[in-house]
């Protein structure tokens, strides 16, 4: 099994406050890894460190076999074009239409004829389950769920190998959230994606994540949902055995009780 | 031939056509792959077998182009079949096939403007401008009603908010207003001194400085400065509150946004702009004095005496009456545009720009109306 994301000894501190105290994590090719943790536990900081938006205080991060702190900026750029990131509210460029948003990375990295660019945008829009009319709309004209799908289409524009999702189902209704989960599963099957997602959605965790990384006490504990259920760390206990988790496990019997 | 991307090998076997896709069908080679597919354009009514066994890399764009080739051939009356798809690409081909089925046409760009749209644009903009004017008058009415309500219940004036606004729009602006007006006085003095010296009438420089600053420059420059400084702040503050749904929250808590947000700002502006104008007049005259004393053979006492002869209280009042009007315009436009912000950060920026431009235009318009009015009434 090869690790497409390898984090070792990662430390992040802000002033006196140390968020990460040596995080070690390996994400394997083709898996869906969920990242959970309490508010302020440093989930977002970890995600931002991995995609290179935040320079860690110490430790190493390798993405697709490249050290992202490597001196060569060209290599980092090349790696960046092989990952896709969906920010929480889509982070679509507000002055461009959805289709133009999707074409931004294509125009930046490749030289393709206009007709082909338009057809690629149309295909991505269809792939993420948006109506064709959405292509000409501005982000402000879309609902929250549609903005997420449009953001996903842009993240997928370059056919990335790794997809980073920041709370993909937050703010969606349960039907929309379930549809989004299914979409991620379908895309993984067809595009062979590796997915690294920050989420608080227990349904999502149970339904699509192969393994779950829990960020507690500045470190991560990675294992399957079933093993996390047996972990006796108080926070993990509270998280996976809280009233909400019990509701999920009662309704989705097989998943939460570890039948996977 | 060495190829880095993907290509098609086409073999004709009588009525049958054997097409074999090779190499890397990925987005990076899109331009070339599209040309490859165009080679299939001329085949009509054949039985076509597309073999994908030799494809060693395929992404969604490659899959889309292969499907596109299939649709094109079908359109030409060919029977087609895909063969030899490697297992790992089966889901991809299926999903892209669903996504790229014909009949899905998409508009990519928002509407472009042609020459014909120019005329309709001018019309639409004019109507919009008129509507804006009407709405602004409505808003003035609304604020006035709220004001009278507050007069009857003085508690509604919210002294704390009012004082904060006075500090921000008035006290904090004193340095910049004073400095600017001082420099304008200096510039005016030098400009006029050079002209009057030609006639040996240097002393009239003082008359003109006095009249210009007191009647026009003092109040106009101060108003424009406050439009840029405080009017824009009003729009940005209220607009940001709108984006955060704070305005909605106020309403659900039973508070009137006009009373809580707009009234203190309008009142603060109407109090501070006249005061700042007075301060600006002083600084302008001082700047003029400094320049005349340095550039011309006029002493400071002489300057003061000449000033006293040249200008009257009336000239000072001609400037001062405009200040509350300008203040009203700036504060109303600033607050009104702020309340019009939609729920996006982008619209805060757009409305702030609009508010500054609009209030400066209206201030200058008001100045022109005053000038005509005073001339007609023979006040000047």
């Amino acid at each position: 099994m090869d690790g497409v994301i390898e984090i070792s000894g990662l430390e992040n501190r802000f002033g006196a406050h140390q968020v990460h105290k040596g995080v070690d994590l390996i994400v394997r090719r083709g898996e869906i890894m969920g990242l959970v943790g309490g508010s302020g536990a440093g989930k977002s900081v970890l995600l931002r460190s991995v995609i290179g938006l935040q320079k860690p205080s110490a430790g190493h991060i390798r993405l697709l076999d490249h050290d992202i702190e490597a001196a060569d900026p060209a290599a980092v750029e090349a790696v960046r074009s092989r990952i896709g990131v969906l920010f929480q509210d889509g982070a679509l460029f507000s002055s461009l239409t959805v289709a133009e948003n999707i074409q931004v990375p294509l125009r930046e990295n490749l030289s393709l004829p206009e007709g082909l660019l338009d057809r690629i945008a149309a295909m991505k829009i269809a792939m993420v389950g948006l109506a064709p009319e959405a292509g000409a709309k501005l982000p402000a004209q879309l609902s929250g769920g549609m903005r997420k799908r449009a953001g996903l289409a842009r993240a997928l524009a370059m056919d990335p190998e790794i997809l980073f999702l920041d709370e993909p189902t937050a703010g969606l209704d349960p039907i929309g959230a379930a549809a989004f989960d299914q979409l991620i599963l379908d895309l993984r099957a067809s595009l062979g994606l590796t997915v690294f997602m920050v989420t608080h959605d227990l349904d999502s965790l149970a339904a699509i994540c192969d393994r779950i990384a829990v960020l507690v006490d500045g470190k991560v504990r990675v294992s399957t949902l079933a093993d996390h259920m047996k972990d006796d760390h108080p926070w993990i206990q509270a998280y996976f055995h809280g009233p909400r988790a019990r509701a999920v496990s009662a309704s989705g019997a097989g998943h939460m009780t570890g039948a996977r | 031939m060495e190829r880095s991307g993907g290509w098609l090998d086409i073999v004709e076997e009588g009525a049958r056509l054997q097409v074999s896709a090779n190499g890397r069908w990925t987005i990076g080679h899109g331009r070339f792959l599209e040309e490859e597919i165009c080679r299939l354009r001329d085949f009509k009514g054949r039985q076509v077998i597309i073999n994908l066994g030799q494809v060693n890399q395929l992404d969604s764009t490659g899959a889309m182009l292969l499907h596109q080739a299939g649709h094109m051939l079908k359109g030409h009356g060919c029977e087609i079949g895909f063969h030899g798809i490697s297992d790992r690409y089966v889901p991809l081909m299926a999903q892209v096939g669903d996504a790229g089925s014909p009949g899905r046409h998409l508009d990519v760009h928002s509407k472009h403007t042609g020459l014909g749209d120019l005329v309709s644009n001018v019309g639409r903009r004019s109507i919009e401008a008129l509507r804006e004017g009407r709405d602004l008058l409505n808003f003035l009415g609304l604020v006035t009603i709220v004001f009278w309500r507050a007069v009857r219940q003085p508690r509604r004036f919210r002294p704390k908010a009012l004082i904060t606004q006075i500090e921000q729009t008035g006290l904090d602006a004193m340095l910049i207003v004073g400095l600017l007006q001082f420099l304008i006085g200096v510039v005016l003095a030098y400009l006029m001194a050079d002209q009057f010296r030609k006639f040996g009438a240097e002393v009239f420089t003082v008359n003109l400085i006095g009249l210009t600053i007191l009647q026009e420059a003092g109040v106009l420059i101060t108003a424009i400065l406050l439009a840029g400084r405080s009017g824009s702040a009003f729009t940005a503050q209220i607009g940001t509150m709108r984006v955060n749904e704070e305005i909605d929250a106020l309403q659900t808590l039973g508070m009137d946004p006009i009373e809580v947000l707009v009234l203190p700002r309008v009142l603060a502006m109407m109090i501070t702009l006249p005061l700042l104008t007075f301060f600006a007049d002083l600084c302008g005259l001082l700047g003029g004095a400094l320049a005349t004393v340095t550039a011309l053979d006029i002493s400071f006492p002489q300057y003061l005496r000449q000033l006293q002869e040249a200008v009257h209280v009336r000239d000072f009042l001609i400037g001062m009456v405009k200040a509350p009007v300008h203040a009203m315009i700036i504060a109303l436009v600033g607050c009104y545009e702020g309340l019009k912000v939609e729920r996006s950060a982008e619209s805060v920026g757009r409305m702030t720009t609009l508010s500054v431009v609009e209030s400066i235009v209206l201030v200058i318009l008001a100045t022109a109306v005053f000038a005509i009015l005073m001339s007609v009434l023979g006040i000047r």
Side-chain angles (χ1 to χ4, degrees):
Chain A
M1 289 264 202
D2 50 347
V4 288
I5 305 171
E6 295 176 16
I7 304 170
S8 57
L10 180 79
E11 287 182 21
N12 269 308
R13 69 179 77 77
F14 300 100
H17 178 56
Q18 188 159 11
V19 182
H20 298 139
K21 303 168 183 163
V23 169
D24 298 299
L25 178 65
I26 290 179
V27 181
R28 303 172 192 140
R29 186 172 291 277
E31 79 174 335
I32 298 182
M33 168 82 82
L35 176 65
V36 300
S39 302
K43 300 184 297 290
S44 299
V45 178
L46 182 57
L47 184 70
R48 288 173 64 84
S49 303
V50 177
I51 54 187
L53 293 176
Q54 163 114 26
K55 204 171 160 47
S57 315
H60 291 285
I61 297 168
R62 286 176 71 79
L63 261 187
L64 297 164
D65 288 327
H66 288 272
D67 221 314
I68 57 163
E69 303 115 286
D72 185 10
V76 176
E77 291 249 315
V79 172
R80 285 243 172 109
S81 72
R82 291 165 64 193
I83 66 174
V85 184
L86 170 61
F87 292 95
Q88 228 184 79
D89 198 31
L92 295 165
F93 303 121
S94 51
S95 57
L96 302 179
T97 66
V98 170
E100 286 166 341
N101 259 289
I102 297 169
Q103 290 169 350
V104 167
L106 304 176
R107 286 181 200 277
E108 187 63 28
N109 292 304
L110 307 165
S111 148
L112 295 175
E114 284 295 318
L116 185 59
L117 281 172
D118 289 353
R119 282 201 302 280
I120 292 176
M123 170 189 66
K124 301 289 178 190
I125 284 170
M127 266 174 113
V128 297
L130 286 174
E133 299 84 63
K137 287 193 176 146
L138 290 169
Q141 298 169 301
L142 301 179
S143 69
M146 286 165 85
R147 267 205 296 281
K148 284 208 164 153
R149 285 175 185 261
L152 183 64
R154 186 181 69 187
L156 292 174
M158 292 286 291
D159 276 18
E161 293 168 47
I162 312 177
L163 184 61
F164 293 92
L165 307 171
D166 191 359
E167 306 228 6
T169 51
L172 299 185
D173 64 72
I175 301 172
F180 205 92
D181 284 345
Q182 189 57 44
L183 177 63
I184 301 292
L185 279 180
D186 289 347
L187 289 171
R188 172 178 60 168
S190 58
L191 303 175
L193 289 169
T194 305
V195 180
F196 184 73
M197 60 193 265
V198 173
T199 186
H200 268 308
D201 185 341
L202 287 158
D203 289 305
S204 230
L205 284 171
I208 69 172
C209 291
D210 300 315
R211 290 194 302 159
I212 296 167
V214 182
L215 200 49
V216 279
D217 308 331
K219 300 189 177 216
V220 294
R221 300 189 182 192
V222 187
S223 72
T224 60
L225 185 56
D227 290 338
H228 277 308
M229 304 285 285
K230 294 174 206 143
D231 199 314
D232 53 10
H233 187 283
W235 192 86
I236 298 178
Q237 276 282 323
Y239 191 92
F240 289 104
H241 294 279
R244 283 153 172 267
R246 273 201 298 278
V248 172
S249 96
S251 56
H255 293 305
M256 291 298 277
T257 49
R260 243 171 204 262
Chain B
M1 191 170 91
E2 189 61 40
R3 286 149 160 154
S4 62
W7 70 96
L8 292 173
D9 284 331
I10 304 172
V11 182
E12 295 188 57
E13 296 172 350
R16 270 174 57 176
L17 199 64
Q18 289 273 9
V19 179
S20 152
N22 302 275
R24 297 160 64 176
W25 285 70
T26 53
I27 191 167
H29 308 291
R31 184 183 287 272
F32 179 73
L33 293 173
E34 204 176 31
E35 285 164 16
E36 281 293 293
I37 280 170
C38 283
R39 288 169 52 206
L40 294 169
R41 201 169 30 193
D42 299 327
F43 297 104
K44 295 197 167 72
R46 306 284 191 97
Q47 192 184 354
V48 186
I49 292 170
I50 302 178
N51 193 340
L52 304 181
Q54 302 298 313
V55 172
N56 47 32
Q57 207 181 342
L58 182 72
D59 69 4
S60 56
T61 304
M64 179 187 79
L65 287 168
L66 289 167
H67 276 295
Q68 193 187 320
H71 288 308
M72 181 178 73
L73 288 168
K74 264 186 203 155
H76 292 172
C78 298
E79 259 179 57
I80 74 144
F82 287 105
H83 290 280
I85 306 174
S86 119
D87 285 345
R88 60 184 171 139
Y89 295 134
V90 170
L92 179 61
M93 281 299 278
Q95 191 176 24
V96 173
D98 292 343
S101 54
R104 281 191 72 106
H105 188 75
L106 134 139
D107 303 321
V108 176
H109 310 283
S110 37
K111 294 266 181 328
H112 286 291
T113 45
L115 198 68
D117 296 331
L118 194 70
V119 181
S120 69
N121 257 341
V122 170
R124 198 172 53 237
R125 290 278 170 83
S126 312
I127 291 172
E128 269 170 22
L130 286 176
R131 271 203 196 125
E132 180 93 7
R134 187 197 62 191
D135 292 348
L136 213 55
L137 270 182
N138 268 338
F139 189 65
L140 172 64
L142 190 61
V143 174
T144 312
I145 292 171
V146 174
F147 175 76
W148 285 119
R149 204 172 61 203
V151 168
R152 268 173 284 149
Q153 285 172 280
R155 181 183 65 82
R156 290 179 182 272
F157 274 122
R158 293 169 201 276
K160 216 166 153 188
L162 184 64
I163 288 167
T164 313
Q165 288 300 332
I166 289 177
E167 184 188 349
Q168 283 175 3
T169 56
L171 204 61
D172 296 353
M174 276 183 79
L175 184 68
I176 186 84
V177 167
L179 180 70
L180 221 77
Q181 210 64 46
F182 183 85
L183 291 176
I184 297 241
V186 171
V187 170
L188 279 176
Y190 272 99
L191 187 74
M192 290 165 184
D194 282 349
Q195 295 301 317
F196 281 117
R197 192 181 286 136
K198 290 179 190 160
F199 309 103
E202 286 100 328
V203 80
F204 285 111
T205 306
V206 181
N207 298 32
L208 217 50
I209 289 174
L211 287 178
T212 314
I213 298 237
L214 291 184
Q215 286 196 7
E216 301 291 346
V219 63
L220 186 64
I221 301 284
T222 310
I224 289 178
L225 231 128
L226 278 208
R229 197 181 170 280
S230 303
S232 62
F234 290 175
T235 311
Q237 287 162 356
I238 296 179
T240 309
M241 292 181 75
R242 178 116 220 157
V243 173
N244 289 341
E245 294 183 305
E246 289 171 54
I247 309 264
D248 299 338
L250 274 180
Q251 275 171 329
T252 56
L253 293 172
M255 293 150 95
D256 180 3
I258 306 277
E259 182 189 307
V260 179
L261 299 173
V262 178
L263 201 57
R265 288 180 165 78
V266 173
L267 290 179
M269 189 65 108
M270 290 187 68
I271 292 168
T272 55
L273 188 57
L275 292 176
L276 278 177
T277 303
F278 179 72
F279 176 64
D281 284 350
L282 289 183
C283 291
L285 292 178
L286 213 63
L290 181 80
T292 16
V293 171
T294 337
L296 300 170
D297 198 16
I298 296 176
S299 71
F300 190 62
Q302 266 177 307
Y303 175 87
L304 286 183
R305 209 174 312 126
Q306 184 67 24
L307 196 64
Q308 204 170 17
E309 275 176 34
V311 301
H312 308 282
V313 175
R314 194 188 57 195
D315 298 310
F316 167 69
L317 289 179
I318 285 177
M320 286 305 274
V321 284
K322 296 184 224 174
V325 176
H326 291 341
M328 179 65 102
I329 290 173
I330 294 165
L332 275 185
V333 170
C335 295
Y336 174 68
E337 299 298 341
L339 286 172
K340 251 178 44 183
V341 164
E342 293 148 26
R343 287 213 52 209
S344 77
E346 185 211 4
S347 93
V348 177
R350 201 177 54 237
M351 285 308 181
T352 306
T353 313
L354 193 72
S355 131
V356 173
V357 172
E358 207 170 284
S359 52
I360 290 180
V361 167
L362 287 178
V363 160
I364 292 179
L365 201 72
T367 303
V369 171
F370 268 112
I372 296 168
L373 213 63
M374 291 189 180
S375 173
V376 170
L377 298 177
I379 294 174
R380 222 190 281 259

